[in-house]
Each structure stands twice: as structure tokens, then as C-alpha cells.
Amino acid sequence: MSERQSFYFFDIDENVLHLPTKVHLLNTMTGEEKTMTQAEFDGIRGYLGMAGEWEDWAAPPERAFREFADGKDRHGEEYLLRDIRRGLEQGGWKGPSWDIFKYAVLRHRPVAIITARQHSAEIIREGIKLLKEAGEIPEEPDYIAIYGVSNPDVKAALGAHLTTAGLKRAAIRACVETGLEKFGRDLPHSFGMSDDDPKNVDLITSAMLECKLDYPDKRFFVISTNRRRHVKLEVLSPHKEESKLRAAVEDYYG
């Protein structure tokens, strides 16, 4: 018999994990390649092609983000698995949502992975399995779904015309539907997703509000992890006169 469930949705990059995955820029004049970290790229991406230091540089998706997809480096190592191993060896790999992720695993909560990466679900599962083998989690998560939304097969399933943000929103909605189908649509389930990027928090909030419109009897939460303490926002029924969001500063361990 099904019971009420608390579902946990997670992104990978800079949330559950800090990974040393590299972005590869192309100099359109010389053909030179420049490699940088995700954080470095985020700092300059808005200047690519503009007059100044970065005017001759571009980030062709298939070339620039090849390490964010299934594939092997020159040593024959799968990119994601290599980077998780390196993170475990070098330290500093635990992202701001790591404690929430580990808690969800320990408490056997249904978990979904929703990432902008292109990896297949199989490779993502293999990557998380490395964390179990390293003793960081006692077992693999109880998955309800894994979406690398930039993966061609996933894009085709969710909507090939959608932007990455649109694909993430569609994946969140799909995970909610999967959870309800598996554990019962009549029970008062709750769904939460964490992120440390304010733009992603807005995206998640929008997706959760859409879900709340469809399922007003369920509870939907957005957990912002960009502060010392987690801020949990509950999406409320839109017919209420008060704010649609109720904020409570608390660790999301409920």
C-alpha cells in the first residue's frame, strides 16, 4: 500500500557536486582552443564575440561542452566518471545541496536528477554509484527519474523546440507526474527541488507553480542553497489573497 512521500529533485553541477569539468572555447580567427572551468566560463560567456578581449572567441556547443556529454577523453575515461573520481581524490567536491541529497538517500526518499548536462541516465547512475563505492552514501538513491535535458533523446521526448530552461521545467513536471503515477495520485505528497543559482530558483519556482495549479492538494517547495542556511519556499494555491510564496528559513530536513 502506498504512503505519502516527500520527493527530492536535484541538479548536479554546483549543487550536489562541484566537478572539474572543463569548457573548451574556440578562437574563430586562429583555431586555437582555450580551456577553462565552468565558473570561469560563466564569468565571461556574456562577452564572447563582443569587442574586446573575447571578440574572437566562441563556444560552439558540441565542441565547447563535449565533456558534459557521454564520451571518453584521450585516456579512455568517461568524462563524468573521470571528473567524479578526480573530485573525490582532490576534495572540495561537495556542493551546497550535498547534505540534502545525502539525507534523501539515507531516508529512502524518491529522488530525481534533473541536469542541463547531455549525459545519458545510465552514465549519471554510474557516476552516483562511484559516490557509494567511495563510502560517501550507503546505497544508491531510490530514483524515480534521471533527466540530462540536453541529451538528444531526452530533448526529443520533452520537446525538441524547447530551450534548456524550458526543458528543465518540462522535466520537473514529468518527474511530478511519474511520482504521482508510482505512489498514488490521491495522497498528499510533497515535492522539493534545491538550487543555489537565483535564476534557477526562479525557473524551479515557475515549474512548481504550474504543478500547484494542476495539483492544489499537493505541496511544492523550492530550496535556495545560496546562503549559510537553506531557505525553503512553499508554493501556495494561487487563489489565496496572500503571497503565492511563503518563506521559512530552515534546513530542508523535513
Side-chain angles (χ1 to χ4, degrees):
M1 181 177 178
S2 295
E3 299 178 349
R4 174 192 174 278
Q5 297 289 336
S6 294
F7 297 84
Y8 288 68
F9 302 167
F10 296 97
D11 192 1
I12 295 177
D13 289 303
E14 307 307 314
N15 286 284
V16 175
L17 304 175
H18 293 305
L19 295 176
T21 312
K22 295 295 190 293
V23 179
H24 304 272
L25 300 186
L26 173 68
N27 188 302
T28 57
M29 299 298 292
T30 67
E32 175 190 358
E33 186 170 278
K34 183 188 292 288
T35 300
M36 59 180 58
T37 66
Q38 296 179 67
E40 290 170 335
F41 176 69
D42 287 340
I44 62 93
R45 66 189 308 167
Y47 300 102
L48 297 179
M50 298 180 65
E53 180 181 359
W54 300 100
E55 63 182 310
D56 295 332
W57 294 91
E62 291 187 5
R63 179 169 183 160
F65 304 108
R66 60 180 181 264
E67 295 190 15
F68 293 81
D70 290 0
K72 297 181 179 179
D73 65 13
R74 58 196 179 104
H75 301 294
E77 290 186 276
E78 188 70 41
Y79 290 125
L80 179 62
L81 308 188
R82 177 203 66 188
D83 288 344
I84 291 177
R85 290 191 190 99
R86 287 181 178 176
L88 289 167
E89 292 169 0
Q90 297 168 3
W93 56 271
K94 294 180 180 178
S97 297
W98 169 257
D99 288 341
I100 304 174
F101 177 78
K102 185 173 182 179
Y103 172 82
V105 175
L106 289 171
R107 296 296 295 269
H108 299 284
R109 305 298 196 215
V111 166
I113 303 293
I114 302 171
T115 174
R117 286 175 171 251
Q118 298 180 45
H119 301 296
S120 63
E122 291 75 19
I123 290 298
I124 293 173
R125 288 189 71 138
E126 285 298 309
I128 301 300
K129 187 176 179 181
L130 291 177
L131 301 173
K132 171 184 175 294
E133 293 173 354
E136 297 294 342
I137 49 176
E139 57 195 319
E140 294 183 61
D142 292 339
Y143 294 108
I144 59 167
I146 300 175
Y147 286 102
V149 301
S150 296
N151 181 282
D153 292 337
V154 174
K155 290 179 70 173
L158 294 178
H161 64 288
L162 296 175
T163 63
T164 299
L167 288 164
K168 278 192 168 185
R169 288 175 61 176
I172 291 170
R173 291 178 61 86
C175 288
V176 169
E177 289 294 332
T178 299
L180 294 176
E181 189 66 28
K182 182 174 181 179
F183 291 96
R185 294 180 176 274
D186 297 330
L187 295 173
H189 303 301
S190 62
F191 302 82
M193 185 167 183
S194 63
D195 207 292
D196 73 322
D197 186 327
K199 291 179 294 185
N200 289 335
V201 168
D202 288 345
L203 182 153
I204 295 165
T205 301
S206 176
M208 292 299 192
L209 180 55
E210 291 175 2
C211 293
K212 185 68 174 179
L213 288 169
D214 290 338
Y215 302 104
D217 60 322
K218 309 299 186 282
R219 301 184 73 184
F220 298 90
F221 296 91
V222 184
I223 305 93
S224 176
T225 56
N226 64 348
R227 302 174 193 233
R228 289 184 61 190
R229 288 181 64 80
H230 302 148
V231 178
K232 181 167 68 173
L233 309 174
E234 181 175 5
V235 178
L236 299 181
S237 299
H239 67 271
K240 292 184 178 294
E241 293 183 0
E242 66 265 27
S243 169
K244 294 184 178 66
L245 296 177
R246 180 174 63 214
V249 180
E250 59 178 319
D251 291 324
Y252 188 59
Y253 295 142

